[in-house]
Amino acid sequence: MNWALEEAKKLIEKYPEKDTFVIASGVSPSGYIHIGNFREIVTTFFVGKELENLGKKVRFILSFDDFDRFRKVPNGMPESYSKYIGMPYTNIPSPFSKDKTYGKELEDIFLEELSRLDIYPEIIYQTEQYKSGRYDKKIILAMNKRKEIFDIISKFKTQEFTVEDKNNYYPISLYCQCCGKDSTTIVNYNEKTHEVEYECVCGNHNIQRIEKSGNIKLQWKIDWPMRWQEEGVIFEPGGRDHSAENGSYAVSKVISKEIFGYDAPSYIAYDFIGIKGANGKMASSTGNVLTLTDLLRVYDKNIILWFYAKNKPNHQFNIALDEDVLRYYAEFDRLVKSYFQGKLDENTASIVSLTGVTKNYTSNPDFGSIANFLPMVSYNEKMLANLLSKEDIDCESVLFKKRLLQAKCWLEKYNNSRINILNEFNQDFYDSLNEEEKQWLKDTLVVLQQNYSTTQELQKSLYAVVKTGEEDSKILKSKQKRYFQIIYNLILGKDSGPKMGLLLSAMNYETIESKLQKKHELVRQRIDKKDN
């Protein structure tokens, strides 16, 4: 069984009396929400999907931690935004539109991306929750038990703390009512009146009550377990950085039990996702990101989900935008075809099922053919359609046009490669051939002088070039493989390439002829034809 089904069964066994399984994920809109952040949401999504497949009612939460402080200006954002550092994301104007905040702008972009993947969680905006007063009692509880919280957190740290440190500890961040930043220091707290006295570097000195204040937020390791208890969460994943022995989950697990009286939810740690060919961890705050929109410009949505479904959450993997794109498309297309033919093993089939793929997907045209031959026809879509029509591809279909756009984006933005036909005759390789192999090339030129309505017909005739007299299937397949390698080497200078019938259909006869035979042999062959 796949990892998500395994986790779903564990949850059912752990919570046999649950009517509704509350599963949660969260993300902070510090910058563009990237494909690494997405792993948290999709991990929860897959577990929820398997719970529903097992007949359980699921409440799938996505919390936007938009009441967090703005820490640094990411790449791609105006440098002038440094003036907002220390403010919550929802108190900062959007750099893109007048009617949205910074946080809301980035959240809406991400939600639109999720909708394109058919993922629709229940959204909780933490700014709204804090400002509504919903958490006021929990804030008061944490403030009243701040010394107990300090003791818990201290056990997970190596440095020594003083009595003064403990007395001066408060488990909250407070945004100044004057400048709006969290550059505040709490100087006193009255447990009876719930009044907080604070000073800010801007010069503001104030006393306020916690109730309905709307400018106080619990610190992360207290905020996280508070929300587990508030929502009744029984499952939530977390990133590798939160999952260390002394990390956020370990601390929050104890705070959840000892302060809020709630058993921490089941937990899966997920690892980082890289971009093949790029160095460093993705981070919204630095701008070193690849978003779902970036992926959707190149990959089908089902393939994107497949990347996350086939890799267990604790396995790190890279998403490629180089020539491996062709391999991934070909591999997934084969899997889907086998899936609907009932030919996959149970585990592989369950992984494909998680992607939400439908039988309509099998009508998709071959991405490799589009991407390989689009540069050969100088991006002329009519010429490409004429060529691929010989492959029995409906070039007027929505599916074709979608993959055409994806192929163009990949070629122009990420790959910019093309099939390179050798400029010169590959003399050294040709001289290495034996007489039988040279005869195959002559026979190929004869085959190419015929008219074929489809590339499948041409492909069949090409295979037949080496069939004569061969009865042993293994020997025949070996010779046919060698035959294709010879043509690829003489035309492209390498052992492999796109489908042979399509490649030769895309080239004019004279060009093929000049690559497969020496010049003096070409002259002789033409004279022989004339004499006959």
Side-chain angles (χ1 to χ4, degrees), residues 75 229 371 385:
N75 289 339
Q229 191 270 337

Side-chain angles (χ1 to χ4, degrees), residues 5 35 46 56 73 88 219 229 274 307 315 409 451 495 513:
L5 178 57
I35 62 173
F46 285 146
K56 299 301 178 181
V73 181
Q219 293 172 359
Q229 191 270 337
F307 290 144
H315 289 179
C409 176
N451 292 320
D495 286 339
E513 189 180 32

